[in-house]
Amino acid sequence: MKLTFDGGRSQGDPYVIRHGDTYYMYATGAKGVQLYTARDKYHWHYAGICYSLEGEKEYWAPAVLFHEGRFWLYYSSMGEWETDTHRQRMCVAVSDRPDGGFAFVGELIAPFSIDAHVVESGGDLYMYYSTNDYEAERAGTLIVVDKMLSPTKMCGHPQVVVRATLDEEIFMRDRFRKGQHWHTLEGAFYFRVGDDHFLTYSGNCYQNETYYIGYAVAHGHTDDLTKLHFHKYPDDNTYCPLVAKNDVEEGTGHNSILAEDGHLYLFYHGRDYGTRGTAADVRTARICEITERDGKLEVVSR
């Protein structure tokens, strides 16, 4: 379902939280992190750029964690002089409010590092994010997890969570050298139901036909997220999207999930069907409801 926004902006990589009686959506922006607010999840108001830093550009995939009374903003950006997007690196800023006032704290992870999801488990913090593996059989961007020593410091021992296994996850053929096709898994989002652990992710590139949201599952009675062993659903060799293009929308991916009143709401970006290849970024935020049963996820309304 396409959400309603005032103005004609793009909301790539939407990340939604609720604080008090207000919903906050943070989205990718070239000049800073975009912020939108709503009271009902469906009708959104553009609140402007809630964070930017002098000398930086391309603020990708912001995610906000409310922890110990403060709001921690995790995002990737690169210097204004950079021309290679693989110079993107993970940074953190902090504020006492969810709607602005974020102050830069520091760089967390060296390039290439994007698409953070920071979660609390058993009193500790863990970050899921994407980085590159140039030497893998299916070279490309994959998802790892690392424990955090604090909201502003990584343990520094990332472990692979899920990597590309399908041709449908090829971002570009022969990207860096002949015969080496570049794959991409990004946009990780973790949540837990009992001893079932889920990780949704996006495969491929939002401009490509097979771009999709998939998920991996792990089972375990543990709070240490580095000890889990995730497996793609239904298996490594089957292209089985949770969300993909239909006759209404395409370019569907990069989600966050909000649990509310016993329901799971999945926010994602997409664009109206037939706009593939448009020069401008026409991705807009959308919503669907998903359900979990017996270790499986399904879309119940879209």
Side-chain angles (χ1 to χ4, degrees), residues 1-300:
M1 174 182 176
K2 190 175 180 180
L3 300 174
T4 299
F5 293 87
D6 54 16
R9 299 171 184 84
S10 167
Q11 299 90 36
D13 312 322
Y15 190 94
V16 175
I17 66 170
R18 181 180 179 179
H19 188 73
D21 60 358
T22 302
Y23 298 91
Y24 298 88
M25 177 187 293
Y26 306 87
T28 288
K31 297 182 179 180
V33 174
Q34 297 187 79
L35 175 66
Y36 300 82
T37 60
R39 292 299 178 94
D40 64 356
K41 295 193 294 293
Y42 303 102
H43 303 88
W44 294 82
H45 165 69
Y46 179 60
I49 299 295
C50 69
Y51 172 77
S52 63
L53 187 66
E54 185 176 357
E56 295 286 306
K57 66 178 179 180
E58 300 299 335
Y59 298 77
W60 287 5
V64 170
L65 171 73
F66 183 57
H67 178 70
E68 296 181 344
R70 307 188 82 186
F71 297 87
W72 302 91
L73 170 66
Y74 299 93
Y75 68 95
S76 296
S77 66
M78 60 185 186
E80 289 182 341
W81 61 91
E82 299 285 5
T83 58
D84 180 2
T85 58
H86 286 260
R87 299 306 300 165
Q88 285 275 344
R89 83 281 196 229
M90 193 70 64
C91 299
V92 59
V94 68
S95 175
D96 293 326
R97 314 190 322 263
D99 59 348
F102 288 99
F104 178 73
V105 176
E107 179 180 320
L108 281 177
I109 309 171
F112 175 70
S113 50
I114 62 170
D115 295 6
H117 184 215
V118 177
V119 297
E120 187 171 353
S121 179
D124 293 313
L125 296 177
Y126 298 83
M127 180 189 288
Y128 292 90
Y129 66 96
S130 288
T131 186
N132 288 340
D133 185 344
Y134 292 88
E135 304 305 324
E137 180 179 354
R138 287 183 178 266
T141 303
L142 73 166
I143 295 169
V144 299
V145 64
D146 195 7
K147 190 174 182 178
M148 303 180 73
L149 301 176
S150 74
T152 62
K153 188 173 183 180
M154 308 301 298
C155 185
H157 301 289
Q159 300 180 36
V160 175
V161 178
V162 63
R163 61 170 70 244
T165 59
L166 303 168
D167 286 351
E168 288 87 354
E169 293 161 351
I170 295 175
F171 175 97
M172 183 184 296
R173 294 181 181 275
D174 305 318
R175 187 178 189 187
F176 294 115
R177 64 174 184 256
K178 187 70 174 178
Q180 186 189 66
H181 306 323
W182 191 260
H183 302 68
T184 296
L185 292 186
E186 59 187 12
F189 191 95
Y190 165 88
F191 69 100
R192 178 175 183 172
V193 181
D195 287 341
D196 292 327
H197 305 257
F198 297 91
L199 188 84
T200 58
Y201 58 84
S202 295
N204 206 311
C205 165
Y206 77 94
Q207 289 283 15
N208 293 344
E209 284 288 318
T210 58
Y211 185 60
Y212 76 106
I213 297 172
Y215 70 95
V217 186
H219 306 283
H221 187 67
T222 180
D223 294 326
D224 187 344
L225 303 187
T226 66
K227 303 297 185 184
L228 297 171
H229 299 284
F230 279 91
H231 303 278
K232 285 182 172 180
Y233 178 84
D235 57 63
D236 284 352
N237 302 311
T238 304
Y239 176 64
C240 184
L242 179 65
V243 178
K245 71 172 185 176
N246 56 23
D247 57 359
V248 175
E249 59 187 12
E250 60 187 3
T252 52
H254 200 110
N255 70 275
S256 60
I257 296 172
L258 185 66
E260 189 174 61
D261 301 326
H263 298 269
L264 294 171
Y265 297 98
L266 187 146
F267 294 86
Y268 61 102
H269 64 221
R271 58 182 183 271
D272 296 343
Y273 188 83
T275 57
R276 177 171 176 258
T278 304
D281 188 349
V282 294
R283 292 174 295 173
T284 57
R286 290 130 198 272
I287 187 174
C288 67
E289 186 177 347
I290 63 173
T291 185
E292 182 278 334
R293 184 176 181 180
D294 298 329
K296 298 179 182 179
L297 303 180
E298 291 184 0
V299 174
V300 295

